[in-house]
Amino acid sequence: MSDRLNILLIGSGGREHALAYGLKKSPRLGKLYVAPGNAGLWQMAEKAEVSESDHAAVIAFCQSNAIDFVIVGPEAPLVDGLVDSLTAAGIEAFGPSREASQLEGSKGYTKDLCAEFDIPTAAYARFTNCDAALEYLSSHPAPIVIKADGLAAGKGVTVAMSDDEAIAAVKDCFDGAFGDAGAEVVIEAFLQGEEASLFALCDGETALHLASAQDHKPVGEGDTGPNTGGMGAYSPAPIMDDAMTERVMESIVRPTLKGMASRGAPFSGILFVGLMITQKGPELIEYNVRFGDPECQTLMMRLESDLLELLLAASRGTLNGVEAQWSDDVVMNVVLASKGYPGSYEKGTVIDDLSVAQAIDGVTIFHAGTAKKDGKLVATGGRVLNVCARGKNVSQAQRLAYEAVDAIRWDNGFCRRDIGWRAVAREQNAK
């Protein structure tokens, strides 16, 4: 009997392309299917013609194609309870339950958990009424942070630097700018410091620190303009040294696991810890319950352990004593997006010369919002390509990434030209 596993990977973005890249290295990988995928993923996996929101169809596909393990990439099907449905059908799956996914599905849920279990985070208040939220703002001046409670594809957060901006953000939420996600609003104190992300693999009891990264959320250079799903990232984050990492694990991650277990919702999957490193130390900005995008791409290029074995250990509750091995290299991901993103943008524009960019030593390109049309590669989303480069330091990784970006011909594309600027400045100052 073969010990190879047939895998169904759920998702269509750069994160899932990167996960497939990692899975392909495993000697235990049998057939790899993806639903729905993208133009890059379809070169690595067979397309499963099922919708992630149709749980019965996903289960039927797994049963008819001898799927041994399902890996759920994006947050929406996790919050929708896909893992619960698969588990109930006897199909092994990686990712948290519907209840545990509330750590991302509801900002208020997480803030209440932090309050209950003494996890450091910004002071906050929750509102389901616009007038009450506006009244709160009158006694809590800017800078202040306004968050739609639910899932908003990374766009439901406003760091308001003026009172007018805060008021507008609250009104936007309650006026339906983020759909049902904005039916409740969380207002938080503004935290001053440096952002970083830490990723921990969890099996309900044990948390294994994976790696750190630093994301760039605002669309414009110098961290200006509206927030996006992420315009680039690099790993590791210099601010997350061993001492800071252990501090985060001890004060934030482990108490969260204990708190979720005590609530009857043990957390199994990836805990993506969004941090602000303040003068007081690390404080939780938010949790995501899946690999980050664009951070996952940098992690998968640095990971030297067997990704499939790690995910299986988390799913089966056998993480205790497991370690993950990482390259010391720095990997940078520069996101190429459609002009107009995160607002409206044109779809179907043609992208050329990816092969030239990919031929650069140390460069790997992951697809996010792409498809094939009439034999040509076209953009179908806001964030379209992840141009990743490996270097001995962040300056080298940055240089290679932008060399690759400049080799791609796509008239409707744009990117930030300053990804990694904090780390580059840190390197230069150290010389």
Side-chain angles (χ1 to χ4, degrees):
M1 181 178 173
S2 170
D3 68 347
R4 288 178 177 265
L5 302 178
N6 295 332
I7 308 293
L8 172 61
L9 176 61
I10 302 289
S12 63
R15 167 184 46 236
E16 287 74 39
H17 194 181
L19 289 172
Y21 167 92
L23 291 167
K24 280 289 190 178
K25 298 176 184 178
S26 174
R28 293 198 62 191
L29 180 66
K31 284 190 174 181
L32 179 61
Y33 297 89
V34 61
N38 59 43
L41 269 162
W42 298 328
Q43 296 174 18
M44 306 176 75
E46 292 186 42
K47 186 176 182 181
E49 299 285 355
V50 291
S51 167
E52 65 190 32
S53 61
D54 187 341
H55 294 194
V58 173
I59 290 166
F61 179 89
C62 292
Q63 292 169 336
S64 61
N65 289 275
I67 297 298
D68 300 295
F69 192 43
V70 180
I71 299 167
V72 184
E75 61 273 23
L78 291 170
V79 172
D80 190 40
L82 179 56
V83 168
D84 306 66
S85 298
L86 290 164
T87 301
I91 299 164
E92 190 173 8
F94 174 80
S97 67
R98 182 199 304 267
E99 177 65 22
S101 295
Q102 286 303 296
L103 284 174
E104 179 168 2
S106 168
K107 306 290 193 304
Y109 180 101
T110 293
K111 299 298 283 192
D112 288 352
L113 183 90
C114 290
E116 183 178 351
F117 294 98
D118 199 25
I119 296 164
T121 191
Y124 73 104
R126 299 175 69 172
F127 300 95
T128 55
N129 175 276
C130 186
D131 289 340
L134 294 176
E135 184 177 339
Y136 180 85
L137 287 180
S138 68
S139 58
H140 293 79
I144 199 161
V145 181
I146 315 298
K147 294 182 176 181
D149 180 71
L151 297 180
K155 304 184 189 77
V157 177
T158 299
V159 181
M161 302 310 291
S162 70
D163 293 340
D164 287 346
E165 190 180 4
I167 290 167
V170 165
K171 289 180 176 178
D172 281 348
C173 286
F174 285 112
D175 286 346
F178 306 106
D180 292 342
E184 181 172 341
V185 168
V186 175
I187 301 179
E188 291 184 2
F190 174 77
L191 294 177
Q192 186 78 43
E194 183 170 345
E195 284 193 56
S197 302
L198 177 144
F199 293 84
L201 188 61
C202 307
D203 69 2
E205 293 184 3
T206 300
L208 169 66
H209 166 243
L210 290 183
S212 66
Q214 196 161 58
D215 185 15
H216 298 64
K217 284 287 186 198
V219 71
E221 286 159 30
D223 290 336
T224 57
N227 271 350
T228 69
M231 293 301 294
Y234 60 93
S235 176
I239 197 169
M240 295 302 297
D241 58 19
D242 291 345
M244 184 62 73
T245 294
E246 179 52 33
R247 198 169 166 187
V248 172
M249 295 296 290
E250 187 60 30
S251 67
I252 296 177
V253 175
R254 294 183 191 117
T256 296
L257 281 198
K258 290 176 183 173
M260 293 299 288
S262 74
R263 286 185 168 191
F267 186 90
S268 173
I270 282 288
L271 199 56
F272 169 167
V273 190
L275 299 163
M276 185 70 78
I277 312 302
T278 71
Q279 289 185 338
K280 293 193 294 182
E283 298 191 53
L284 180 69
I285 299 175
E286 65 179 6
Y287 275 133
N288 294 325
V289 298
R290 34 70 189 186
F291 281 101
D293 188 349
E295 296 93 341
C296 182
Q297 295 83 322
T298 66
L299 268 59
M300 290 304 104
M301 285 181 65
R302 292 186 57 226
L303 181 64
E304 294 181 340
S305 298
D306 187 321
L307 174 65
L308 180 52
E309 294 287 8
L310 288 173
L311 302 187
L312 286 168
S315 174
R316 294 171 179 177
T318 58
L319 269 182
N320 192 23
V322 172
E323 292 186 3
Q325 303 300 317
W326 300 88
S327 165
D328 291 332
D329 288 347
V330 174
V331 175
M332 179 173 291
N333 177 4
V334 175
V335 172
L336 271 175
S338 296
K339 288 178 181 174
Y341 176 80
S344 59
Y345 50 84
E346 184 180 356
K347 294 185 178 181
T349 56
V350 176
I351 303 167
D352 287 314
D353 287 351
L354 277 199
S355 59
V356 176
Q358 287 178 311
I360 298 170
D361 189 40
V363 169
T364 301
I365 297 177
F366 297 109
H367 292 239
T370 64
K372 279 292 184 77
K373 184 178 181 182
D374 300 327
K376 293 184 179 295
L377 182 68
V378 297
T380 59
R383 294 185 299 163
V384 176
L385 294 171
N386 307 131
V387 182
C388 299
R390 175 193 301 273
K392 292 300 178 187
N393 55 44
V394 71
S395 299
Q396 184 184 44
Q398 186 190 59
R399 179 180 60 77
L400 288 172
Y402 284 112
E403 182 182 338
V405 164
D406 291 338
I408 297 169
R409 287 193 296 125
W410 179 30
D411 291 342
N412 200 52
F414 81 98
C415 68
R416 278 184 57 168
R417 306 294 304 197
D418 64 346
I419 303 302
W421 63 271
R422 290 183 188 86
V424 169
R426 204 180 251 117
E427 275 183 2
Q428 290 172 346
N429 290 337
K431 288 180 180 178

